[in-house]
Amino acid sequence: MGHSAAVWDCREAVKISKDSHGIDQILLRNPQGASARVSLHGGQVTSWKNELGEELLFTSNKVTGKSPKAMRGGIPICFPQFGNCGSPELHGFARNKMWKFDDNPPPLPTSGSDGISFVDLLLKSSEEDMKYWPHGFEFRLRVALLLNGDLMLISRVRNVNSKPFSFSFAYHTYLLVSDISEVRIEGLETLDYLDYLSQKERFTEQGDAITFESEVDRVYLSSPNVIAVLDHERKRTYVVRKEGLPDVAVWNPWERKSKSMMDFGDEEYKEMLCVDGALIERPINLKPGEEWTGRLQLSVVPSSFCSERLGLDRIGL
Ligand code: BG6
């Protein structure tokens, strides 16, 4: 049920509760009834719903929450690596850490996330992580639910070291889809990509929109800042807008790999697609005192919206 703006109580906008494992989670809501949920574990968005209460992000049914690893679904934060790059933790440690509330974040340079509903989280370097990644950093994450129901994530990484460091990054976004074989991505045509199924060999995507009929594990390079994921069956289009994130990782494990993953159902590959705004090919090098910002904005619109209304025409779609 939607909420009427007239009776909206702004205390409803942000609510903190404990999940079944005693971990703080934050529920963001807007007056129209859209919502998002964020966990302090990993700073992970674990749910995003439209004003009808329909879930828009995939979460595996096999999730028990008992694992110290990030939950399979939602939006895990991959930092300071995407992949392993010598680190013991695939996709970095940030998604497996307990984050804190950031009570006094420095103001954002240009906001755009002034929706009524947001939370600021903070992760700092710990002694344990220093063993593998000896760099002092502060990672500030804002998760905002906008008035129109869009979900916005803004990540700021600051070097609080006395020497430079490099990192890569991804918002590992598990979109919920009706049937993977009915889904296509527009906006990545003709781009180069690294194929993680062929030792990161570089290929060039051919003309048409990307569709799915087998396992895909790729990083598309230097992509436009707006791409669209069309779900034909559900007549729904996800629009992914990004800034500071040149690459897009696309992943679906398909049948064989699904069976090898403990925290993923054998058939669940049919209802998910990871499309990550990311920074992978050219890691950012931050000097002492410098800060990097990467923004992701997810919208969902009926597929009848034409490209022009989405602003996709500007990038030639
Ligand atoms: C993808 C990687 O982005 O994430 C895959 O390219 C990996 O190789 C997948 O299997 C899921 O990773 P994880 O660590 O969440 O199982």
Side-chain angles (χ1 to χ4, degrees):
M1 288 287 287
H3 296 260
S4 149
V7 295
W8 170 249
D9 176 348
C10 62
R11 285 169 301 187
E12 297 293 315
V14 182
K15 287 218 158 146
I16 300 168
S17 62
K18 300 270 182 208
D19 69 13
S20 55
H21 302 281
I23 297 172
D24 279 336
Q25 57 179 8
I26 306 97
L27 182 66
L28 305 176
R29 287 202 283 186
N30 80 2
Q32 288 72 31
S35 66
R37 199 175 57 224
V38 190
S39 173
L40 283 197
H41 188 263
Q44 185 169 354
V45 173
T46 54
S47 166
W48 172 40
K49 291 181 179 171
N50 65 15
E51 70 280 5
L52 301 173
E54 295 167 342
E55 183 58 61
L56 303 168
L57 297 176
F58 167 87
T59 297
S60 171
N61 287 326
K62 290 271 183 90
V63 165
T64 61
K66 287 190 190 119
S67 157
K69 222 188 122 185
M71 180 199 86
R72 172 81 57 202
I75 312 182
I77 301 284
C78 302
F79 171 86
Q81 298 95 25
F82 179 86
N84 26 14
C85 303
S87 150
E89 283 173 271
L90 183 68
H91 293 335
F93 49 74
R95 64 177 177 163
N96 302 324
K97 294 285 157 197
M98 207 51 89
W99 292 51
K100 291 191 161 58
F101 288 102
D102 190 4
D103 296 325
N104 201 10
L108 284 155
T110 50
S111 189
S113 72
D114 304 330
I116 40 163
S117 190
F118 63 86
V119 62
D120 288 301
L121 303 182
L122 175 63
L123 181 71
K124 290 184 180 184
S125 32
S126 70
E127 265 180 43
E128 191 193 341
D129 301 324
M130 286 281 201
K131 288 184 209 145
Y132 306 103
W133 204 69
H135 305 295
F137 71 88
E138 286 174 0
F139 189 137
R140 296 197 148 77
L141 172 67
R142 170 168 293 188
V143 180
L145 181 71
L146 306 191
L147 277 170
N148 63 2
D150 285 8
L151 182 67
M152 182 182 270
L153 287 88
I154 304 174
S155 289
R156 292 184 285 170
V157 176
R158 175 171 286 278
N159 183 340
V160 294
N161 244 352
S162 53
K163 47 187 181 36
F165 64 72
S166 308
F167 65 91
S168 53
F169 173 90
Y171 290 110
H172 201 3
T173 308
Y174 285 78
L175 298 176
L176 181 67
V177 298
S178 55
D179 175 0
I180 186 67
S181 53
E182 296 286 325
V183 169
R184 69 173 206 267
I185 305 182
E186 294 187 357
L188 303 178
E189 307 83 50
T190 72
L191 298 186
D192 281 5
Y193 64 88
L194 306 178
D195 193 343
Y196 278 49
L197 299 177
S198 312
Q199 289 80 48
K200 303 188 192 172
E201 202 182 329
R202 195 175 179 119
F203 294 96
T204 302
E205 187 60 62
Q206 301 306 315
D208 290 334
I210 294 154
T211 53
F212 299 88
E213 49 192 31
S214 59
E215 183 179 355
V216 171
D217 193 352
R218 298 178 181 170
V219 175
Y220 286 85
L221 306 173
S222 306
S223 89
N225 277 341
V226 187
I227 62 168
V229 181
L230 289 82
D231 182 340
H232 281 300
E233 199 170 296
R234 206 164 267 150
K235 298 188 173 48
R236 180 190 273 171
T237 296
Y238 292 98
V239 183
V240 179
R241 293 185 174 83
K242 58 190 180 60
E243 273 175 43
L245 302 163
D247 305 318
V248 175
V250 177
W251 180 61
N252 183 289
W254 218 256
E255 209 172 339
R256 192 177 48 87
K257 185 158 183 182
S258 296
K259 291 190 174 137
S260 70
M261 294 192 294
M262 299 294 286
D263 58 350
F264 194 79
D266 291 358
E267 302 283 319
E268 287 186 324
Y269 73 93
K270 293 178 181 163
E271 54 188 87
M272 57 70 70
L273 178 63
C274 281
V275 180
D276 312 355
L279 169 84
I280 297 169
E281 191 197 20
R282 292 196 191 91
I284 284 282
N285 190 270
L286 272 190
K287 296 196 186 77
E290 279 185 344
E291 187 173 270
W292 165 87
T293 303
R295 286 175 179 244
L296 182 76
Q297 186 167 342
L298 299 175
S299 323
V300 67
V301 296
S303 291
S304 52
F305 267 59
C306 64
S307 303
E308 201 179 324
R309 282 168 77 187
L310 294 177
L312 299 179
D313 55 325
R314 288 198 300 279
I315 55 163
L317 288 173

